[in-house]
Each structure stands twice: as C-alpha cells, then as structure tokens.
Amino acid sequence: MPQYRIIVDLSDRQLYLLDGNTVTRAFPVGVGTMLTQTPTGEYTIINKQVNPGGPFGALWMGLSKPHYGIHGTNDPSSIGRYVSHGCIRMHNEDVIALSPLVPVGTRVIIRQ
C-alpha cells in the first residue's frame, strides 16, 4: 500500500507526489504572488469537490489551512507562474490524475 504525501516546492513551482521518500510524479503548478503568497508549512487534505466552478477548474482539494487548496484552473497559461491568491493551481488533467492517489488526510508540505 503506497504511503503518499505531497511536497509543493514554491521556488521551482512544482508539486511532487512521494511514496515514502521516493518521488513518483511531478507536476508544474502556479502559486501565490508576492502580495498573496502561498503559505508554507505542513497541512492535510480535508475535502475534495469535483467541478467547483469559477476559476478552480475541474477539481478542488481543500487544505487544513482555511481558504487554501490545490485545484485545477480555467487559465492553463498561469501554470508555472506566480499568479494565484495563495492556492496551488494545477492543469485540470493533472489534478484529476492526482486526486485518486491522495485520499482525504494526505499530508501536504509546502516549502520555499
């Protein structure tokens, strides 16, 4: 049984899926701007919503820090840039691929 966790590296704008200490997948992400930075720290996924609407793309995975999450986007050109209000933004097909691998309760570490 895999022991998945997520590490989001803000400096290289990548989300890494780890099984134990081995990176199994890496995805480009959009993260917060200088004024609305993505918060660093350790959180957990607390909920998921398919098709949340608006700018959140195909899927929302809420974090234990209120109002922050990992989600799809309706603006794929924003991926890889400092663009969000602090959330972690992924291509819709990437967040759809990631979601079944990371149940509610999965650890998410966000680092500079």
Side-chain angles (χ1 to χ4, degrees), residues 49-60 71-74 92:
Q49 184 180 353
V50 177
N51 295 319
F56 303 118
L59 185 85
W60 165 270
H71 63 80
T73 182
N74 59 3
N92 286 325

Side-chain angles (χ1 to χ4, degrees), residues 10-11 13 30-40 68 81-87 112:
L10 299 177
S11 62
R13 295 175 304 288
V31 297
T33 68
M34 286 296 276
L35 293 176
T36 56
Q37 293 184 9
T38 301
T40 57
Y68 290 91
R81 300 175 47 208
Y82 296 99
V83 290
S84 78
H85 288 115
C87 286
Q112 274 304 351

Side-chain angles (χ1 to χ4, degrees), residues 10 36-47 60-71 85-88 105-110:
L10 299 177
T36 56
Q37 293 184 9
T38 301
T40 57
E42 187 168 323
Y43 309 103
T44 55
I45 294 172
I46 59 165
N47 59 33
W60 165 270
M61 294 189 285
L63 298 179
S64 54
K65 182 165 182 72
H67 313 294
Y68 290 91
I70 299 168
H71 63 80
H85 288 115
C87 286
I88 295 130
T106 297
R107 288 173 53 214
V108 178
I109 297 152
I110 303 173

Side-chain angles (χ1 to χ4, degrees), residues 3-5 16-25:
Q3 293 296 308
Y4 285 130
R5 62 191 167 106
Y16 298 101
L17 178 65
L18 287 82
D19 181 1
N21 290 320
T22 304
V23 174
T24 60
R25 301 280 305 265

